[in-house]
Amino acid sequence: MGSAEEEDLPATDMPRVVGVLSALLERLTERNDTAAGPGALEPASRSAFRAMTKPGISVRAYMARIARFAGCSPACFVVGYIYLDRLLRRRRALAVDSYSVHRLLITTVLSAVKFMDDICYNNAYFAKVGGISLPEMNYLEVDFLFGVGFELNVSPETFGHYCAILQSEMLCLELEPEPLLPPNAAAPGSAMHCCLSEDDGTSATTSSSSSTQQQQLAA
């Protein structure tokens, strides 16, 4: 994992949403690393999502790896982003930094794939893709589910709000404003019954820009 081939993977070889989301998370990770200071790994902030050492693969390469091998729909990355936000709102002590971002990504994408797609790989496969052991993958999944209170439903409105956040991020990156998802990508609600809690509705509607979203994720 983290080969030169993955590091040099062109953005055109992965879903556009993956490139935009990786850029947002890379910037957030760098900001939180700077705020924490060198060597800051406080016991109070330790969790299953925090590795003891920084992984030797960039966020972009890691997400490209997941996109290449997971075989999931592009919409799963948006839903994974929503799940990440939900988890961080409930666990204020957990920050997206170099120690946690990779485990958070593989866990939220795994959960999103299981909820969104009809066919998906098992935990053993995702553990190999993510570069962790199967027991770790299983524990992270359970910890995440309890962390979000098993609230996995995503309404079409919430999905649209987070897509808008990523669209704004794309404009900040001065990328060509093309659609984040393919025209045939199904949003939540198109093939399933979804519900939205009041807390999620409030958080989505108030996240009107990428900078606001970053502050919420960093909390």
Side-chain angles (χ1 to χ4, degrees):
M1 186 169 63
S3 65
E5 181 182 359
E6 287 171 338
E7 290 286 356
D8 296 336
L9 184 67
T12 54
D13 289 351
M14 59 183 174
R16 196 171 187 83
V17 63
V18 175
V20 176
L21 184 55
S22 63
L24 188 155
L25 292 177
E26 278 184 336
R27 187 170 66 249
L28 177 61
T29 297
E30 292 173 0
R31 188 183 69 181
N32 286 340
D33 285 347
T34 301
L41 184 60
E42 300 176 1
S45 64
R46 286 180 181 171
S47 76
F49 294 102
R50 290 186 63 85
M52 296 305 298
T53 59
K54 296 181 181 181
I57 181 173
S58 68
V59 174
R60 180 184 182 279
Y62 194 69
M63 289 200 66
R65 177 181 173 85
I66 295 174
R68 175 184 289 184
F69 296 111
C72 60
S73 60
C76 289
F77 292 98
V78 180
V79 174
Y81 179 43
I82 295 172
Y83 288 171
L84 176 59
D85 195 19
R86 288 180 181 178
L87 179 64
L88 296 176
R89 288 176 184 277
R90 287 172 174 263
R91 294 188 178 178
R92 298 288 182 176
L94 180 62
V96 179
D97 57 22
S98 295
Y99 292 97
S100 64
V101 63
H102 300 83
R103 293 187 177 202
L104 287 168
L105 279 172
I106 193 65
T107 306
T108 53
V109 172
L110 167 66
S111 301
V113 171
K114 286 187 174 182
F115 190 76
M116 290 284 294
D117 291 352
D118 294 329
I119 301 176
C120 65
Y121 293 106
N122 59 23
N123 283 26
Y125 181 87
F126 268 89
K128 291 181 179 179
V129 172
I132 58 178
S133 67
L134 176 57
E136 284 180 304
M137 186 77 266
N138 292 338
Y139 185 84
L140 289 173
E141 181 185 21
V142 173
D143 192 34
F144 163 77
L145 291 173
F146 277 97
V148 297
F150 291 86
E151 293 184 12
L152 300 180
N153 289 316
V154 176
S155 74
E157 292 77 15
T158 298
F159 185 85
H161 283 304
Y162 280 84
C163 281
I165 292 169
L166 294 175
Q167 290 280 8
S168 298
E169 175 67 14
M170 189 185 339
L171 294 177
C172 292
L173 294 172
E174 298 182 349
L175 298 176
E176 185 178 351
E178 297 177 358
L180 279 170
L181 304 176
N184 59 347
S190 59
M192 66 182 71
H193 297 288
C194 298
C195 63
L196 176 65
S197 67
E198 292 182 359
D199 290 341
D200 283 335
T202 303
S203 65
T205 54
T206 55
S207 299
S208 59
S209 68
S210 60
S211 60
T212 301
Q213 181 64 16
Q214 292 161 23
Q215 292 173 2
Q216 292 167 343
L217 285 174

